[in-house]
Amino acid sequence: MTGTAQAVPGRRSRTLHIAGDSTAAQKYADAAPETGWGMALPFLLHRHLTVANHAVNGRSSKSFVDEGRLETILSSIRPGDFLLVQFAHNDEKTADPTRYTEPWSTYQEYLRMYVDGARARGARPVLATAVERRRFDADGRAVPSHGEYPAAMRALAAEEQVALLDVQALSLALWQELGAEETKKYFNWTAAEQDNTHFNPPGAIAVARLVARELLRTRVLAPRDVRRLDDEIPPSWITWPEAVA
């Protein structure tokens, strides 16, 4: 997990916990330059907010719970903290019963566990629709890839009155604006692989900026909580620690 530096004196530090998959997760030296957007988010938040990035590669809303990872978060979360939840990429895997959820039933049921668990501990749940993959049709239009999952999350957020960060819609619009070729500079395209799901540092920073702006727009965070929304963040600020054995 990663976090920002020390708290501001006289103000209790709050923690923003991220529950999610590989698109948000901390990456290590053996995976560089692949970068989760959760690695870049601390650069956009002031120091009295700590980011605890619990996102893990390959997890769905279901497998994250079944492996005890949600319970780990709930055992440490405190009143006034936030639980930001982004899943769908692996919930979509119909051939894998350990991860698959159906958008309008089991997906929503698992998301409710995160919402209810955070609220029971005095923390604020925040739902984020899954960031879009890099996918374009023959006419150069950015194409959505998450099926009914974003709609199901939006409906649940409205029903439960939970703040919703519509990262799916915003990232799709950003990829459309950039175009098929320019977006290659934001995804993990290297000489060895052409990855249209995971980000490099510029991509992670761009998505983290969408997340931070949505946290401000939805009033989850106040203007005093965010910084650098319009500033350039050098990709060199991203670092990949050695994996812990």
Side-chain angles (χ1 to χ4, degrees):
M1 294 182 291
T2 60
T4 55
Q6 314 125 5
V8 174
R11 181 184 296 165
R12 185 181 80 76
S13 176
R14 293 175 296 164
T15 300
L16 189 153
H17 299 265
I18 300 173
D21 55 36
S22 59
T23 59
Q26 173 69 51
K27 309 298 177 177
Y28 296 93
D30 60 352
E34 185 177 321
T35 310
W37 60 257
M39 297 167 63
L41 188 59
F43 301 127
L44 295 158
L45 304 181
H46 277 295
R47 292 182 177 181
H48 60 271
L49 280 171
T50 297
V51 175
N53 191 354
H54 304 264
V56 181
N57 289 9
R59 271 53 179 190
S60 69
S61 64
K62 169 180 163 54
S63 64
F64 196 92
V65 170
D66 291 348
E67 293 173 4
R69 298 179 186 278
L70 174 58
E71 189 54 42
T72 296
I73 296 174
L74 296 181
S75 68
S76 63
I77 205 166
R78 299 186 300 170
D81 286 350
F82 307 94
L83 176 55
L84 195 167
V85 182
Q86 183 213 253
F87 290 105
H89 289 82
N90 299 300
D91 289 77
E92 301 164 9
K93 298 185 182 298
T94 56
D96 185 352
T98 67
R99 293 189 285 180
Y100 175 66
T101 62
E102 193 281 325
W104 296 100
S105 59
T106 46
Y107 180 59
Q108 291 184 325
E109 290 166 12
Y110 275 97
L111 291 178
R112 279 194 179 92
M113 295 182 189
Y114 297 81
V115 171
D116 293 345
R119 284 176 166 168
R121 289 155 180 82
R124 182 170 183 181
V126 181
L127 297 176
T129 54
V131 62
E132 269 298 347
R133 299 177 174 95
R134 178 185 173 276
R135 185 173 295 180
F136 290 84
D137 65 17
D139 296 320
R141 289 187 293 263
V143 177
S145 67
H146 292 305
E148 292 293 305
Y149 291 89
M153 180 179 277
R154 293 180 191 115
L156 178 67
E159 179 183 339
E160 296 290 337
Q161 298 184 323
V162 176
L164 177 80
L165 317 182
D166 206 346
V167 179
Q168 184 270 334
L170 291 170
S171 57
L172 186 69
L174 179 58
W175 308 151
Q176 180 63 58
E177 178 184 346
L178 292 168
E181 287 304 311
E182 190 68 15
T183 47
K184 292 178 183 178
K185 300 176 183 178
Y186 288 71
F187 284 79
N188 192 32
W189 273 57
T190 67
E193 64 177 321
Q194 291 77 50
D195 183 343
N196 293 310
T197 298
H198 303 101
F199 308 109
N200 60 15
I205 291 166
V207 175
R209 199 184 302 275
L210 296 180
V211 171
R213 285 177 172 160
E214 282 287 272
L215 288 167
L216 186 60
R217 180 191 65 80
T218 56
R219 299 184 179 179
V220 171
L221 298 183
R224 68 177 180 273
D225 297 324
V226 299
R227 57 179 172 167
R228 302 191 183 104
L229 287 185
D230 298 309
D231 297 344
E232 181 178 352
I233 296 176
S236 61
W237 287 9
I238 300 289
T239 58
W240 300 265
E242 292 294 332
V244 178

